[in-house]
Amino acid sequence: MTKKKKPELRSRQWYGGSDKSAFMHRSWMKNQGMPEDMFDGRPIIGICNTWSEMTPCNAHLRDLAERVKMGVYEAGGFPIEFPAMSASESQTRPTAMLHRNLAAMEVEESIRAYPIDGIVLMVGCDKTTPSLIMGAASCDIPTIVVSGGPMLNGRFQGKTVGSGTSVFQWTEEMRAGKMSKQEFLEAEAGHSRSPGSCMTMGTASTMASMAEILGLALQQNAVIPAVDSRRRVLAQQSGRQIVDLVHKGITISQICTHDAFKNAIIVNAAIGGSTNAALHLIAIARRLGIGLSLNDWDKFGREIPTLLDLMPSGRFLMEEFYYAGGLPAIIRTLGEHGKLAKDALTVTTKSIWENNKDAKNWDKEVIREWDNPLTTSGGIAVLRGNLAPRGAVLKPSAASSHLFKHRGKAVVFNNIEEYKQRIADPELDVDKNSILVLRNCGPKGYPGMAEVGNMGLPPKLLAKGIRDMIRISDARMSGTAYGTVILHVAPEAADGGPLALVVEGDMIDVDIEARVLHLDVSDEELARRRAELTIQLPPVQSGYQQLYRDHVQQADLGCDFDFSIHSSELTKQRVSH
Ligand code: FES
């Protein structure tokens, strides 16, 4: 049998040979104390790190990267760590999503510019995961994701607290004098008491799970708590594994196939994942030349039950998820019921099914059994109609069933500032059947598409005990939020979408089962309103924001830049290996 030839390494173009160029590349690296044999033809592994003290969820990633390096050395590679822009969900203004594409560009250009044979992506907070995967996908080199892991459960006054779940309540209690300043400060400390990302099934946990089911991360990457010693083991093993992937020439496009994305949509439904995942996975897929569409979310996810009883849809937190068996237990259950493409390849060089078929479920309250789900229909519903010709999304598991079929009068807010000014007005013409419409908060209208779609209800209705109403917008919402909230309406109002044509008092029909979002206004009247429509975008604050507005695509296409999406021709010209 002939032995398979190892792929030629990119890094040899920098470090191989005896010419002036090779001398310079090696010599300057040697100023860091690199011994000669580091340049002997071993794989150069880039460790792309979103460590930042401005991104508290990722602040421990420098330490974790040392474990990755250890693994790379053990496997005979040469690790080189470098930074990438770290979009912090909790600290960035106006919104971390504005910088997802910027970070993706930075990662892509870094990989193209440097002698990197394989890459380890160190991620955690919401946008850091998709941005780095998008950048790596454009380059199509061997890639492994190492997530920072979730924080320990929040604890305050004897109770377990999920990230973000009690902030509103505590703020109100403080304002009402029911909570002292000292208690308020103690609540802050108990809420976020260890390194790691939000420990609910917000966007960070969702995207870490997506990386694992896509096959880009080792088992349990999504769930091992940040401070658990086993996370360090996973980092070290990932360092070993990336060297193996380079030797075998297995690149990200061989792992992230259409089947892998289909599996990801199904798992997202089973874990009650964030609506933001729809944007991010579509963006990643399109960079790989895979035509994942919004319809695929409905097609593959609709009949999948939510098995995980985790906040915000359920009761538990990521720590309990890990102790119950983690994502492998969910994957095994879905596979046993014939829902997954079992042959999808992973970074272990084995299939997703080989990796997970023996996983155990140790706590059937946290990870429900197939015939006892949290909700029978998980996933993300994609609504269409004359109000959302290119689609809008809603998470049925987070919505109120009594609003699934509803007709209501529109109360329209032209932007988030107007919403804030008017929502508490006692004279606001609104009742429990009204539908709150917020526009100009989409990718162009509010560059970055802020997480403001789950507008708070009018205080006068809250006082009457109303807890949910239909809300429609071109914005996003946090993965930790819930309610009957229709998001990502495409095209957005600022791009001339029909949301711009709604007038206060118009009747809107929502039918979630039938997937319909209809503005009950005649075509003639809509045409008349369109003829009179003028779109005035608020000024941007920077050159990057202008570039973003000029080139961002609509939500149904994942909000990536039009120039970052590779045509099939460009895809063939990826980084030379
Ligand atoms: Fe970083 Fe939630 S704020 S994961």
Side-chain angles (χ1 to χ4, degrees):
M1 200 171 91
T2 53
K3 215 172 156 192
K4 201 179 164 198
K5 207 172 147 232
K6 282 185 180 175
E8 197 179 320
L9 299 176
R10 278 184 84 223
S11 57
R12 298 314 288 160
Q13 296 165 25
W14 279 257
Y15 299 137
S18 307
D19 58 7
K20 178 172 148 244
S21 167
F23 175 97
M24 290 176 70
H25 290 136
R26 289 190 300 252
S27 176
W28 262 265
M29 287 301 279
K30 284 179 181 176
N31 85 349
Q32 300 177 82
M34 309 294 185
E36 185 59 49
D37 56 6
M38 286 295 120
F39 305 96
D40 63 0
R42 64 189 68 199
I44 308 292
I45 304 300
I47 301 176
C48 182
N49 202 337
T50 53
W51 165 85
S52 166
E53 289 177 346
M54 277 294 179
T55 307
C57 311
N58 296 17
H60 60 302
L61 292 184
R62 280 256 44 256
D63 170 63
L64 210 54
E66 292 303 320
R67 292 302 180 126
V68 177
K69 285 183 191 171
M70 209 183 279
V72 172
Y73 282 126
E74 285 167 350
F78 176 11
I80 302 178
E81 186 181 357
F82 65 98
M85 185 181 185
S86 190
S88 169
E89 201 65 30
S90 68
Q91 311 295 314
T92 306
R93 288 185 178 178
T95 166
M97 181 67 172
L98 176 66
H99 299 121
R100 184 198 69 175
N101 295 354
L102 182 60
M105 287 168 68
E106 184 191 347
V107 173
E108 176 181 352
E109 295 306 317
S110 297
I111 294 172
R112 290 184 188 282
Y114 290 122
I116 294 170
D117 299 308
I119 188 103
V120 180
L121 307 176
M122 307 292 298
V123 297
C125 197
D126 297 17
K127 305 304 176 291
T128 57
T129 304
S131 58
L132 266 58
I133 299 176
M134 286 162 70
S138 289
C139 300
D140 196 20
I141 64 171
T143 303
I144 284 188
V145 171
V146 175
S147 301
M151 288 185 246
L152 295 177
N153 291 355
R155 297 286 298 172
F156 179 60
Q157 294 183 337
K159 295 202 181 90
T160 298
V161 182
S163 299
T165 50
S166 300
V167 177
F168 180 76
Q169 177 202 335
W170 290 332
T171 312
E172 287 303 302
E173 285 179 8
M174 167 84 176
R175 199 178 293 156
K178 293 183 192 157
M179 191 178 201
S180 70
K181 177 81 186 289
Q182 187 54 35
E183 284 178 309
F184 192 69
L185 296 176
E186 284 169 13
E188 285 173 7
H191 172 272
S192 312
R193 67 189 176 99
S194 85
S197 48
C198 293
M199 79 308 260
T200 51
M201 188 48 76
T203 305
S205 300
T206 301
M207 290 310 297
S209 302
M210 295 297 92
E212 190 171 330
I213 182 63
L214 280 171
L216 285 177
L218 298 184
Q219 275 180 289
Q220 304 289 19
N221 171 69
V223 291
I224 302 173
V227 294
D228 193 306
S229 53
R230 287 164 285 191
R231 175 133 319 257
R232 292 175 159 208
V233 175
L234 179 136
Q236 192 166 337
Q237 287 171 333
S238 300
R240 294 175 188 166
Q241 196 57 31
I242 187 68
V243 176
D244 189 44
L245 286 181
V246 172
H247 284 316
K248 290 178 174 153
I250 298 175
T251 66
I252 187 169
S253 67
Q254 293 168 58
I255 289 174
C256 292
T257 58
H258 192 271
D259 271 353
F261 283 100
K262 182 179 165 192
N263 286 345
I265 290 171
I266 288 164
V267 164
N268 187 67
I271 62 176
S274 161
T275 45
N276 281 321
L279 300 171
H280 300 322
L281 261 60
I282 288 173
I284 295 166
R286 285 170 58 77
R287 284 191 173 220
L288 290 162
I290 296 171
L292 193 73
S293 75
L294 209 46
N295 281 349
D296 290 332
W297 285 84
D298 226 334
K299 189 163 108 195
F300 301 132
R302 186 166 187 164
E303 303 303 330
I304 304 298
T306 300
L307 301 172
L308 187 59
D309 193 345
L310 205 92
M311 291 185 202
S313 300
R315 295 173 291 163
F316 299 102
L317 292 168
M318 291 298 282
E319 243 189 283
E320 285 95 16
F321 185 20
Y322 178 46
Y323 306 145
L327 202 68
I330 297 267
I331 295 171
R332 200 251 309 144
T333 305
L334 290 165
E336 280 177 353
H337 287 83
K339 300 298 176 190
L340 294 180
K342 293 181 175 175
D343 292 337
L345 183 64
T346 73
V347 290
T348 64
T349 73
K350 296 183 184 145
S351 73
I352 194 81
W353 187 241
E354 283 175 279
N355 289 346
N356 295 291
K357 64 181 171 18
D358 298 322
K360 301 277 186 299
N361 180 352
W362 303 108
D363 189 336
K364 295 183 172 60
E365 270 204 72
V366 179
I367 301 173
R368 305 286 197 93
E369 294 195 281
W370 186 259
D371 50 9
N372 180 34
L374 187 67
T375 58
T376 49
S377 176
I380 292 173
V382 179
L383 312 186
R384 289 179 192 274
N386 67 349
L387 198 46
R390 285 168 55 179
V393 303
L394 170 136
K395 192 167 155 184
S397 63
S400 304
S401 54
H402 73 277
L403 294 170
F404 273 29
K405 192 171 171 63
H406 186 80
R407 179 176 169 84
K409 204 166 61 171
V411 178
V412 182
F413 305 100
N414 282 306
N415 49 51
I416 192 65
E417 287 75 27
E418 186 188 318
Y419 160 79
K420 286 177 187 163
Q421 278 166 14
R422 292 179 60 211
I423 193 66
D425 183 351
E427 301 300 316
L428 185 69
D429 184 12
V430 64
D431 62 34
K432 65 176 185 178
N433 294 317
S434 302
I435 293 180
L436 305 183
V437 175
L438 174 65
R439 61 189 171 204
N440 295 313
C441 292
K444 288 179 197 283
Y446 186 131
M449 198 181 176
E451 289 185 337
V452 293
N454 55 319
M455 296 160 263
L457 305 191
K460 67 178 183 182
L461 295 184
L462 283 172
K464 288 183 186 167
I466 306 303
R467 290 291 172 262
D468 197 8
M469 292 169 70
I470 292 186
R471 288 153 275 178
I472 301 174
S473 77
D474 44 19
R476 298 178 297 120
M477 80 171 178
S478 162
T480 58
Y482 57 92
T484 312
V485 186
I486 297 168
L487 304 151
H488 307 184
V489 169
E492 65 175 303
D495 201 41
L499 206 59
L501 306 178
V502 183
V503 169
E504 189 113 343
D506 282 351
M507 296 305 290
I508 295 176
D509 292 299
V510 175
D511 188 339
I512 292 170
E513 275 304 306
R515 303 299 199 243
V516 169
L517 181 58
H518 180 74
L519 178 64
D520 192 7
V521 174
S522 70
D523 291 346
E524 294 72 29
E525 172 60 13
L526 288 176
R528 191 193 64 74
R529 291 182 191 177
R530 180 165 293 286
E532 290 179 358
L533 180 68
T534 52
I535 296 172
Q536 280 191 325
L537 300 175
V540 293
Q541 296 163 324
S542 68
Y544 173 69
Q545 289 189 13
Q546 188 64 55
L547 177 133
Y548 189 94
R549 179 175 276 167
D550 290 345
H551 291 282
V552 71
Q553 297 182 305
Q554 290 297 291
D556 59 319
L557 298 179
C559 298
D560 200 0
F561 289 142
D562 50 10
F563 55 73
S564 291
I565 304 297
H566 295 264
S567 70
S568 54
E569 280 312 298
L570 278 174
T571 305
K572 288 181 201 144
Q573 299 167 19
R574 285 181 184 140
V575 173
S576 58
H577 298 292

